[in-house]
């Protein structure tokens, strides 16, 4: 379980040694309201995650707060393993989506490997007790220091994204007497049909090696004494909502695989990356059965293991961000619901114009609907969580920003000298703080004034 990640909660109801168990005052009358979160429901008008009322989380731990469902994370991971049961495979969770030690621990216990993009993320995997040999190391700017550290930890594979990186990795591996296991990230020049900021498989993107260069680079790598080729990989983007880009990329990857195999370059695995989209607001997503069927059709009879790197689709719909309504400000042109969470807590709406459903934690049937922009405290006009949302809301309410389990806390900042939220994991009837809320003093404790 999560006992070794238990830390002091923010609210007064729990001591440092306690696990908070939810009461059942919210009752059991279920609403017909539907949410993208598999473990989120409304009972007697109150939002509940698994068996814990979100209002009780606010009472104990305050706001802003990220709240995750362990059951939702496990079910999302297991949906991959069930869909791919007939295919030899390894799921490597993309740590950048949510890198809390509690989340890593849950997925490691399920058998996941991990896709990382920095030494810091590798150190998180190790700190959570997971196996470095099931780690694949992506990223376009790996330093010699990071390569050295990763080699000494015995990671499973480096995903090489340029020819200069290959040369540096050969040099580092030779200096410590190791062979570096690699795949190239091959850029297949496939349009993922997603937001341009999260599209990674076009020839104009910074990621990977060009498809037309990959053959030459694999042959060069095969001749390097401290490089061991073990796979081939592509990753075309994030929040993909169609199956056809995946199939187009896989077909191109397999054509290159077959050409190289004939020339003596052999692969243990084929990595199709990640990027499956999730339902943020009645979105039509790619179903895992259809995804698995497409992969099976193309990999049938092949000896290689399939690797996948899902992130958002594992944790995205496991989490909510809770935020308190500080003021309800009405005006001639706009109504504003001003909350205590801002773009520093959840950047996606400001960065991508991303949509998150936003609902009241406790219903108000006797309040009239009104249209609001939900805005935060950061001193920027771009500090908003949602625009033109219909809500029944009053000062002192708590709002839940849904589908916030991925790219939420990990992209949070201290802009305006604001502390980052706490993170809470729900496991059936208990709520455990898996990251304490920062203290303001800690934000400048390592800064120094200049004195005469």
């Amino acid at each position: 379980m999560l006992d070794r990640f238990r830390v002091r909660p923010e609210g007064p109801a729990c001591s440092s040694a306690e696990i908070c168990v939810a009461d059942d005052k919210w009752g059991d009358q279920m609403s017909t309201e539907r949410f993208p979160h598999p473990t989120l429901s409304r009972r007697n008008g109150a939002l509940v995650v698994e068996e814990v009322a979100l209002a009780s989380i606010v009472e104990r731990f305050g706001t802003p707060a990220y709240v995750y469902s362990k059951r939702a994370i496990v079910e999302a991971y297991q949906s991959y393993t069930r869909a791919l049961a007939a295919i030899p495979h390894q799921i490597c969770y993309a740590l950048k989506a949510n890198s809390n030690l509690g989340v890593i621990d849950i997925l490691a216990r399920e058998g996941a490997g991990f896709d990382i993009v920095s030494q810091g993320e590798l150190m998180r995997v190790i700190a959570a007790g997971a196996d470095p040999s099931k780690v694949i190391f992506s990223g376009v700017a790996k330093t010699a220091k990071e390569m050295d550290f990763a080699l000494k930890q015995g990671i499973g594979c480096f995903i090489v994204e340029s020819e200069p990186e290959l040369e540096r990795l050969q040099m580092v591996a030779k200096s410590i007497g190791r062979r570096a296991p690699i795949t190239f990230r091959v850029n297949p020049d496939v349009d993922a049909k997603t937001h341009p900021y999260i599209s990674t498989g076009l020839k104009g993107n910074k990621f990977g090696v060009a498809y037309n260069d990959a053959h030459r680079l694999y042959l060069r790598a095969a001749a390097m004494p401290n490089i061991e080729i073990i796979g081939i990989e592509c990753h075309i983007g994030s929040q993909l909502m169609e199956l056809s880009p995946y199939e187009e990329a896989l077909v191109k990857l397999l054509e290159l695989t077959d050409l190289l195999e004939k020339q003596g370059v052999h692969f243990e695995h084929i990595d199709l990356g990640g990027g499956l989209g999730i339902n943020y607001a009645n979105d039509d997503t790619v179903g895992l059965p259809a995804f698995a069927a497409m992969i099976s059709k193309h990999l049938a009879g092949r000896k290689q293991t399939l690797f996948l790197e899902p992130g958002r689709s594992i944790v995205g719909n496991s989490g909510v961000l809770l935020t308190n309504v500080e003021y309800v400000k009405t005006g001639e042109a706009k109504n504003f619901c001003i909350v205590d969470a801002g773009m520093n807590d959840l950047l996606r709406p400001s960065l991508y114009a991303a949509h998150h459903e936003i609902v009241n934690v406790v219903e108000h049937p006797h309040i009239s609907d009104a249209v609001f922009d939900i805005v935060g405290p950061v001193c920027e006009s771009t500090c908003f969580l949602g625009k033109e949302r219909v809500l029944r809301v009053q000062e002192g309410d708590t709002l839940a920003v849904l589908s916030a389990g991925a790219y939420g806390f990990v992209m949070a900042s201290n802009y305006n000298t604001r502390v980052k939220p706490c993170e809470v994991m729900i496991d059936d009837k208990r709520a455990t703080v898996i990251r304490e809320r920062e203290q303001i003093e800690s934000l400048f404790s390592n800064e120094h004034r200049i004195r005469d």
Side-chain angles (χ1 to χ4, degrees):
M1 308 300 281
L2 298 174
D3 292 8
R4 60 194 169 116
F5 303 116
R6 192 184 310 164
V7 294
R8 181 181 60 80
E10 294 302 313
C14 299
S15 74
S16 60
E18 288 179 325
I19 291 290
C20 296
V21 180
D23 57 37
D24 59 1
K25 293 178 182 178
W26 35 263
D28 57 4
Q29 184 178 340
M30 299 290 291
S31 167
T32 57
E33 194 174 1
R34 292 290 178 262
F35 303 104
H37 301 60
T39 61
L40 183 66
S41 61
R42 195 179 290 279
R43 307 185 195 181
N44 285 3
L47 281 183
V48 176
V49 170
E50 298 192 25
E51 300 301 318
V52 176
L54 289 180
S56 71
I57 297 294
V58 176
E59 291 173 4
R60 291 177 170 120
F61 307 129
T63 58
Y66 278 98
V67 182
Y68 313 119
S69 163
K70 177 183 177 182
R71 187 189 308 163
I73 294 170
V74 170
E75 288 179 358
Y77 179 84
Q78 290 179 349
S79 68
Y80 272 95
T81 60
R82 287 193 300 269
L84 298 167
I87 309 170
H89 68 274
Q90 175 63 60
I91 304 298
C92 292
Y93 167 69
L95 210 70
K96 61 182 178 288
N98 186 323
S99 60
N100 187 283
L101 295 187
V103 173
I104 299 170
D105 179 62
I106 288 169
L107 290 169
R109 291 169 187 265
E110 290 295 314
F114 298 93
D115 170 42
I116 65 163
V117 294
S118 70
Q119 179 175 328
E121 287 191 343
L122 176 54
M123 292 175 72
R124 283 182 173 276
V125 170
I126 295 167
D131 183 357
S133 72
K134 296 173 76 172
V135 166
I136 56 178
F137 195 162
S138 305
V140 300
K142 304 178 192 73
T143 67
K145 179 182 176 182
E146 288 180 312
M147 291 173 176
D148 179 270
F149 180 79
L151 280 167
K152 290 175 179 176
Q153 300 306 312
I155 69 161
C157 185
F158 290 90
I159 296 180
V160 176
E161 307 217 23
S162 68
E163 189 165 10
E165 181 187 335
L166 174 68
E167 294 166 352
R168 178 178 292 179
L169 186 57
Q170 159 63 25
M171 178 187 67
V172 173
K174 180 180 179 180
S175 71
I176 59 174
R178 303 284 181 94
R179 295 190 75 206
I182 74 155
T183 76
F184 281 101
R185 177 173 178 167
V186 178
N187 188 328
D189 194 28
V190 169
D191 185 359
K193 301 177 183 178
T194 187
H195 192 287
Y197 287 5
I198 51 177
S199 178
T200 61
L202 292 170
K203 63 175 63 175
N205 298 131
K206 69 178 182 179
F207 299 97
V209 301
Y211 186 83
N212 292 334
D213 288 337
H215 176 259
R216 175 183 65 82
L217 290 174
Y218 265 112
L219 293 179
R220 184 177 180 203
M224 290 182 168
N226 295 90
I227 297 294
E228 179 185 8
I229 296 169
I230 63 170
I232 188 168
E233 192 252 12
C234 72
H235 180 57
I236 59 174
S238 184
Q239 189 58 11
L240 272 69
M241 308 303 280
E242 297 182 25
L243 192 58
S244 57
Y246 277 114
E247 186 163 24
E248 183 182 351
L250 180 56
V251 168
K252 293 186 76 170
L253 209 61
L254 293 178
E255 289 174 354
L256 182 58
T257 298
D258 291 341
L259 174 62
L260 286 163
E261 288 271 355
K262 290 176 183 177
Q263 295 178 300
V265 179
H266 302 294
F267 301 114
E268 297 174 11
H269 71 257
I270 295 171
D271 188 339
L272 195 53
L276 275 181
I278 66 169
N279 178 9
Y280 281 102
N282 299 315
D283 302 310
D284 292 326
T285 59
V286 176
L288 275 175
F291 180 65
M294 180 275 291
I295 292 173
S296 297
K297 178 180 72 173
H298 290 287
L299 294 189
R302 292 181 177 270
K303 64 182 183 299
Q304 292 94 356
T305 298
L306 170 71
F307 274 43
L308 291 177
E309 305 162 16
R312 185 195 316 265
S313 56
I314 299 290
V315 294
N317 277 330
S318 75
V320 301
L321 172 62
L322 299 180
T323 181
N324 187 64
V325 177
E326 298 294 335
Y327 303 101
V328 176
K329 179 180 177 180
T330 59
E332 292 184 12
K334 285 273 190 180
N335 296 323
F336 296 99
C337 179
I338 304 173
V339 297
D340 66 352
M343 63 184 288
N344 69 295
D345 301 300
L346 180 64
L347 184 59
R348 295 188 71 254
S350 300
L351 183 61
Y352 303 124
H355 180 95
H356 289 260
E357 289 290 285
I358 301 174
V359 296
N360 208 320
V361 166
V362 177
E363 288 181 325
H364 292 303
H366 304 300
I367 296 178
S368 299
D369 287 340
V371 178
F372 295 94
D373 282 6
I374 297 134
V375 299
V378 172
C379 193
E380 298 285 349
S381 295
T382 53
C383 182
F384 66 91
L385 302 179
K387 292 190 173 182
E388 297 185 347
R389 305 300 181 86
V390 177
L391 287 173
R392 296 179 178 182
V393 66
Q394 62 189 15
E395 185 176 311
D397 284 352
T398 301
L399 301 182
V401 184
L402 308 187
S403 306
Y407 304 106
F409 186 94
V410 287
M411 297 178 77
S413 76
N414 296 118
Y415 187 41
N416 286 182
T417 310
R418 290 178 48 78
V419 298
K420 294 176 187 174
C422 63
E423 293 179 282
V424 180
M425 184 68 72
I426 304 297
D427 182 4
D428 193 31
K429 291 186 176 182
R430 68 179 190 173
T432 308
V433 174
I434 57 173
R435 184 194 299 267
E436 294 189 64
R437 189 182 311 280
E438 292 177 334
Q439 301 300 311
I440 292 175
E441 294 79 7
S442 71
L443 304 187
F444 49 84
S445 62
N446 62 346
E447 298 176 24
H448 306 282
R449 293 179 293 165
I450 298 176
R451 298 180 183 271
D452 293 332

